[in-house]
């Protein structure tokens, strides 16, 4: 299993390289923690996760890697785990780095707490999405999953921009329903729920792999 993970490490390192660049950017610009920063930094986790997944999976498709792996003396659970564990680790690193980056910016404690909850809120849903993507890849093939990739990339860019515009124009404020939802659910409990959904999709993905990827 660790050998399978090792061969994909360049893709994960490539997407994680944005973390120190992000830290350097915020440190040098000394930006305040406004809604633009919060929405974009917390929404970027979808790009990190989805980009890593599709980078790895397009390489597997090009080299017919899964047929080779299925012929080796490793179980389907080990193969699928080797794909999902690094994504969990990558998302965890991004969340931790961004979580503590927020505290280095100029902001009052109440807004800092809200920013961190936005991060955990997005991270929880991003984990569920990542699990669903791998189930979709193994069940229906990479080609169909690529359509979802396009939707998620647009989501990661357009939704933060739309939210920020709504705040700037006065359509949303801290009392709005979406902010209340984030305050109520953007905590460790929701993140735990996201991890459990991710684990459930791991089992679904194993079954799909066993049915759809013959040796």
């Amino acid at each position: 299993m660790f050998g399978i993970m090792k061969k994909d490490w360049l893709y994960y390192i490539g997407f994680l390289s944005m973390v120190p660049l992000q830290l350097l950017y915020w440190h040098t610009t000394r930006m305040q923690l406004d809604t633009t920063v919060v929405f974009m930094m917390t929404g970027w986790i979808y790009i990190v996760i989805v980009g890593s997944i599709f980078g790895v999976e397009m390489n597997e498709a090009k080299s017919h890697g899964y047929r080779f792996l299925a012929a080796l003396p490793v179980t389907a659970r080990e193969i699928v785990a080797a794909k999902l564990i690094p994504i969990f680790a990558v998302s965890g690193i991004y969340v931790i780095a961004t979580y503590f980056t927020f505290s280095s910016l100029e902001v009052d404690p109440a807004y800092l707490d809200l920013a961190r909850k936005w991060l955990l809120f997005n991270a929880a849903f991003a984990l569920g999405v990542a699990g669903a993507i791998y189930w979709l890849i193994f069940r229906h093939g990479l080609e169909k999953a690529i359509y979802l990739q396009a939707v998620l990339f647009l989501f990661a860019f357009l939704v933060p921009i739309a939210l920020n515009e709504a705040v700037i124009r006065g359509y949303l404020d801290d009392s709005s329903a979406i902010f209340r939802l984030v305050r109520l659910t953007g905590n460790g409990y929701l993140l735990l729920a996201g991890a459990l959904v991710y684990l459930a999709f791991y089992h679904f993905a194993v079954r799909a792999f066993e049915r759809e990827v013959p040796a």
Side-chain angles (χ1 to χ4, degrees), residues 84-182:
L84 269 70
I85 289 173
I87 295 299
F88 194 85
V90 164
S91 58
I93 292 170
Y94 185 84
V95 167
I96 291 170
T98 306
Y99 190 94
F100 288 104
T101 297
F102 283 158
S103 64
S104 69
L105 304 177
E106 300 174 15
V107 64
D108 64 79
Y111 201 80
L112 175 62
D113 180 66
L114 179 61
R116 287 174 166 173
K117 286 188 174 182
W118 270 107
L119 174 64
L120 297 179
F121 183 84
N122 274 323
F125 281 102
L127 278 177
V129 166
I133 288 173
Y134 260 112
W135 170 79
L136 183 62
I137 288 172
F138 292 135
R139 181 67 181 85
H140 297 288
L142 180 61
E143 294 80 6
K144 292 183 179 179
I146 285 175
Y147 293 111
L148 179 59
Q149 174 199 22
V151 172
L152 289 172
F153 271 112
L154 286 174
F155 174 85
F157 281 108
L158 297 181
V159 169
I161 292 171
L163 285 171
N164 193 54
E165 282 296 312
V167 170
I168 291 172
R169 296 177 185 277
Y171 302 136
L172 289 177
D173 56 33
D174 286 0
S175 65
S176 300
I178 182 65
F179 280 87
R180 293 200 303 271
L181 179 64
V182 169

Side-chain angles (χ1 to χ4, degrees), residues 41-60:
M41 287 181 69
T42 61
W44 194 255
I45 190 170
Y46 296 97
I47 300 294
V48 174
I49 291 177
V50 175
S52 299
I53 290 174
F54 282 94
V56 169
E57 293 309 311
M58 289 176 75
N59 181 61
E60 292 287 8

Side-chain angles (χ1 to χ4, degrees), residues 63-76:
S63 62
H64 302 287
Y66 283 119
R67 289 186 179 274
F68 173 73
L69 292 174
L72 295 177
V74 291
T75 66

Side-chain angles (χ1 to χ4, degrees), residues 193-208:
L196 291 175
V197 170
Y198 191 67
L199 182 62
F201 272 114
Y202 161 69
H203 291 289
F204 299 151
V206 169
R207 293 177 188 173

